[in-house]
Amino acid sequence: MTAEGTDIAVVGGGIVGCLIARHITARAPTTSVVILERETAGSGASRYSAGLHCPRGATERLRRMARYSQDYYDGLTDLDPRLPIHPTPLSVVASPATAPRLGRTYLDTARLAPAARPTAGPLGIRLPHDSRVFSVEGAQHADVYALVQALARDLRHRVSFREGVEVVRVEPSDADADADADDRAGPGEGVTLRLRTGETLTARQAVLAPGPWLAEPAWRDLVAPLAARVKKIIAVHLDRPPAPGDRPIVFEDDDAFLLPLRHRGHWLFSYTCQEWDTDPGAAARGLTPQNTAEARAALRRYLPRLAERALSGRVFCDAYSTTGQPEVRALDPHGRIVFAGAAGGSGYRLAPAIAAAAVDLLRLPVHRPRPAPNQGSHS
């Protein structure tokens, strides 16, 4: 059974996949796009995302991507102030050894400045006596799942969503890679995607945005050369209601942060878990005894009063590249299959820049605008 052909097939309906489709339709409105999602839009890694955007980057490329993404999200909220994206001031806590490097990490727009130490408050926050505290502008927090729903709702009149449809095979064809980009894909052209429904979808090009599902048989061999790995991500829920003036706090030395989730009525504490090569399906089953012990140990450093009360949270995982930076590259010699991801826990924060860079690699029937922040980089 053969499904109708399309110009571009996007595999993955999370924040990255939806923004890829949005970038395509903005640059080339006549391009036909199909988004294929095994569940429903936003139900994978995007559902579990903490949704904190910090205006920072450890490398020049990451800083460019962060700036592009910040501007893009600002543009989205200008178009629709009802979107669940909320600007917020941010506090950064650093040791005396780390503090001098912050100016090279945070964007100029962050307006990094010394700030007063946060009071203990109902959370009982405790900071090392020699720690330095800084204020940061330009941060924001989003309900990522709700945002994906809003983006998908807006996209549905421009692209085709195939939800609840699993891709079981992705393979490039042997057709001429220089075929006219205005032609619609037909049998034997571009990329063939075999679906669990029994259908075969043909596309001129395909973009894989699978999040942490790197080991799926449909594309496992294609992404293997990236050598990306999957790591568990854990955030503990602290059942204390945030006050109106409470702000996120980033603990720079520990790669951890504390985030008030006002729309849910509690706080979130994210720490760095070092559990690698995780199966996303297994991770979604919830906290393990080891996870709980690690989370409490991290909490004792900054929130000792709540450490033993940390009984719930969210557990998932993300793909990490060998360089610590997102991967955006073609997976076949003709550039018919593009990978976009391995964002290392920054999928939401850098999603607009990842999407723009992926679309730069597509053959669209329009003149392309200024290159995205990481065009041509395979790191």
Side-chain angles (χ1 to χ4, degrees):
M1 185 187 306
T2 301
E4 182 181 352
T6 186
D7 289 324
I8 310 295
V10 179
V11 181
I15 184 67
V16 173
C18 284
L19 287 181
I20 288 170
R22 198 173 189 276
H23 276 74
I24 293 171
T25 58
R27 297 190 194 185
T30 62
T31 303
S32 60
V33 181
V34 174
I35 296 178
L36 297 152
E37 169 56 52
R38 179 170 56 185
E39 298 185 35
T40 57
S43 294
S46 294
R47 179 181 283 276
Y48 297 87
S49 173
L52 179 63
H53 172 86
C54 299
R56 56 167 293 165
T59 66
E60 181 57 33
R61 178 190 174 216
L62 289 176
R63 287 189 288 275
R64 290 196 306 270
M65 296 181 78
R67 180 58 187 267
Y68 179 94
S69 297
Q70 182 172 338
D71 290 346
Y72 191 89
Y73 284 131
D74 287 346
L76 283 181
T77 54
D78 287 343
L79 289 173
D80 186 356
R82 298 169 299 175
L83 289 175
I85 300 175
H86 311 289
T88 179
L90 179 77
S91 295
V92 177
V93 176
S95 67
T98 301
R101 300 197 295 269
L102 295 182
R104 300 190 297 272
T105 301
Y106 284 81
L107 307 182
D108 292 341
T109 55
R111 295 183 176 86
L112 193 72
R117 294 165 68 90
T119 58
L123 294 180
I125 297 174
R126 184 179 69 185
L127 301 181
H129 72 279
D130 60 347
S131 61
R132 312 285 174 85
V133 181
F134 300 85
S135 65
V136 169
E137 298 180 18
Q140 47 104 328
H141 167 254
D143 180 344
V144 181
Y145 178 68
L147 177 59
V148 172
Q149 299 307 301
L151 293 172
R153 183 170 56 248
D154 179 64
L155 280 168
R156 285 185 192 275
H157 72 282
R158 289 177 280 164
V159 309
S160 174
F161 274 84
R162 298 291 307 275
E163 294 172 293
V165 175
E166 182 179 4
V167 178
V168 296
R169 184 72 177 168
V170 180
E171 50 194 1
S173 74
D174 296 327
D176 181 10
D178 294 325
D180 185 351
D182 282 326
D183 292 341
R184 294 295 184 262
E189 293 183 353
V191 182
T192 300
L193 300 99
R194 306 192 188 280
L195 314 179
R196 190 166 294 282
T197 59
E199 299 170 287
T200 298
L201 177 69
T202 57
R204 186 160 301 284
Q205 288 180 280
V207 184
L208 303 182
W213 284 276
L214 299 182
E216 292 299 301
W219 50 76
R220 179 174 54 209
D221 293 342
L222 286 168
V223 304
L226 301 178
R229 298 175 66 189
V230 177
K231 187 173 79 68
K232 185 178 283 190
I233 295 175
I234 297 177
V236 179
H237 294 171
L238 305 174
D239 289 329
R240 294 290 185 276
D246 288 335
R247 59 170 63 185
I249 302 174
V250 171
F251 304 103
E252 193 73 22
D253 290 72
D254 294 274
D255 193 19
F257 63 83
L258 185 64
L259 176 66
L261 296 180
R262 292 183 181 83
H263 67 292
R264 289 177 55 95
H266 65 83
W267 288 77
L268 178 149
F269 179 76
S270 175
Y271 75 96
T272 300
C273 174
Q274 292 296 341
E275 190 171 328
W276 289 88
D277 303 317
T278 305
D279 170 27
R285 297 190 185 108
L287 293 163
T288 66
Q290 179 182 347
N291 299 152
T292 303
E294 290 176 347
R296 286 175 172 164
L299 280 165
R300 289 188 192 105
R301 178 167 169 78
Y302 296 108
L303 301 160
R305 281 172 26 191
L306 298 180
E308 302 311 313
R309 301 181 185 180
L311 303 176
S312 67
R314 60 186 68 182
V315 184
F316 210 56
C317 46
D318 199 6
Y320 287 68
S321 72
T322 57
T323 64
Q325 303 184 68
E327 288 277 10
V328 184
R329 67 165 73 181
L331 298 178
D332 67 297
H334 297 306
R336 296 181 184 177
I337 303 175
V338 173
F339 178 86
S346 295
Y348 167 71
R349 190 170 72 89
L350 301 178
I354 293 170
V359 176
D360 278 345
L361 298 179
L362 300 177
R363 298 185 298 276
L364 301 180
V366 292
H367 176 71
R368 294 176 185 170
R370 180 173 57 87
N374 64 335
Q375 183 181 13
S377 174
H378 290 177
S379 62

